[in-house]
Amino acid sequence: MMRAMTAERADALDIIGDIHGCLDELVRLLGRLGYERTRGGGFQHPNMRRLVFVGDLVDRGPDSPGVLALVMHLVNAHGAFCVLGNHDDKLVRYLMGNPVRMTHGMQQTVDQLEGKDQTFRNKVAEFLRSCPTQISFQHLDLAVAHAGLRESMIGETSRRARMFALYGESTGERDVFGFPIRHPWAELYRGTQAIVYGHTPTHAPNWVNNTICIDTGCVFGGSLTAVRFPERQLVSVAATRLHYTATRTMPGFQLSAL
Ligand code: MN
């Protein structure tokens, strides 16, 4: 599996947060960003901007196969980029025949994939196995990874860097709900390269030391967010409805928004 990637192209980018099967909101966000549908079922921007996905394409939401089909087409035919998220990584392991626990909305994805043929499932597995866990866009002084990155891990291909990019870093302690307490890497980040990531649903994206989380909990009834580079402009569309009920309050995520 490809683990880190350096992109050389000089195009401007629109980076999109955790989709989790929310196909309708993805299509609406692409429209809001100015992308136009192509005859082949893809989308392209009149100013040749390019799309980047922070991963977690699947689980919990209404149409994970539809999101996979669209993102695969955008990457294969329209020069989009996609980094692997922890949910996507788990789906590859499932598709490769490995035992996985059907938790965190994975059952929905597996049920939805029942309606798809083996050729599609093979294409999904092949695509997700080709996704890097981080991409550096050096012309924009930017790196993208699903759960974030420490400065020392930019471009690094170790298992440690890969696990950090997928899951973030746990302190080894657990909160009162039994969930791992996450390491505050963003608060400690001092790098000059901006880090754009998702993974942790937040009500409103905030820049923290040149890092920004753009997972705004669409599948939990929040919104789907993009950040544009080099403009650093945020563009969001509201969730069409609450697709999945969170089992606990997300850090920084307002229950009133659910
Ligand atoms: Mn996620």
Side-chain angles (χ1 to χ4, degrees):
M1 188 183 291
M2 204 194 305
R3 291 177 177 178
M5 177 189 250
T6 300
E8 304 292 345
R9 293 283 300 268
D11 307 287
L13 302 176
D14 297 314
I15 309 163
I16 296 183
D18 299 38
I19 303 167
H20 286 296
C22 295
L23 181 63
D24 289 349
E25 289 88 341
L26 173 58
V27 169
R28 283 173 51 225
L29 180 59
L30 294 177
R32 187 74 60 82
L33 291 165
Y35 287 78
E36 292 163 358
R37 229 182 242 282
T38 63
R39 281 188 187 177
F43 285 84
Q44 69 186 29
H45 200 280
N47 300 334
M48 300 308 291
R49 302 182 66 92
R50 295 227 273 177
L51 291 161
V52 184
F53 297 93
V54 304
D56 275 7
L57 305 176
V58 303
D59 292 354
R60 298 185 176 124
D63 194 356
S64 289
V67 170
L68 285 165
L70 178 54
V71 171
M72 289 191 294
H73 184 70
L74 292 169
V75 170
N76 293 330
H78 295 278
F81 299 93
C82 184
V83 294
L84 197 68
N86 55 302
H87 284 259
D88 313 315
D89 181 56
K90 194 172 164 189
L91 180 60
V92 187
R93 284 186 273 130
Y94 167 79
L95 291 170
M96 305 287 284
N98 298 302
V100 294
R101 290 175 58 209
M102 288 294 154
T103 52
H104 307 296
M106 189 179 189
Q107 189 64 55
Q108 280 86 341
T109 304
V110 169
D111 292 346
Q112 291 161 15
L113 282 169
E114 284 299 313
K116 302 287 166 185
D117 60 17
Q118 191 59 42
T119 308
F120 179 77
R121 274 181 279 205
N122 291 344
K123 274 187 190 161
V124 169
E126 187 189 347
F127 169 73
L128 294 178
R129 290 181 72 198
S130 76
C131 288
T133 51
Q134 59 166 288
I135 306 178
S136 276
F137 298 93
Q138 282 163 2
H139 64 286
L140 293 168
D141 218 11
L142 164 72
V144 178
H146 176 66
L149 269 186
R150 288 178 159 184
E151 187 182 12
S152 62
M153 292 176 170
I154 297 172
E156 202 194 294
T157 58
S158 65
R159 175 178 164 79
R160 206 170 134 261
R162 176 181 160 73
M163 295 311 277
F164 193 105
L166 285 175
Y167 297 98
E169 187 174 65
S170 167
T171 58
E173 294 164 38
R174 291 182 175 264
D175 67 17
V176 292
F177 301 103
F179 286 90
I181 293 172
R182 287 175 176 153
H183 190 265
W185 65 272
E187 282 81 358
L188 302 170
Y189 187 75
R190 295 292 176 266
T192 55
Q193 206 163 338
I195 307 282
V196 175
Y197 68 105
H199 189 57
T200 310
T202 176
H203 190 59
N206 278 312
W207 283 97
V208 176
N209 298 327
N210 215 12
T211 76
I212 191 165
C213 174
I214 56 167
D215 178 7
T216 44
C218 186
V219 79
F220 301 115
S223 59
L224 185 63
T225 294
V227 61
R228 319 192 89 162
F229 265 75
E231 300 89 342
R232 297 196 175 208
Q233 177 198 358
L234 292 164
V235 179
S236 294
V237 297
T240 55
R241 61 187 176 88
L242 191 160
H243 299 286
Y244 192 88
T245 308
T247 52
R248 61 164 182 153
T249 308
M250 304 287 170
F253 199 78
Q254 306 296 313
L255 262 182
S256 60
L258 299 178

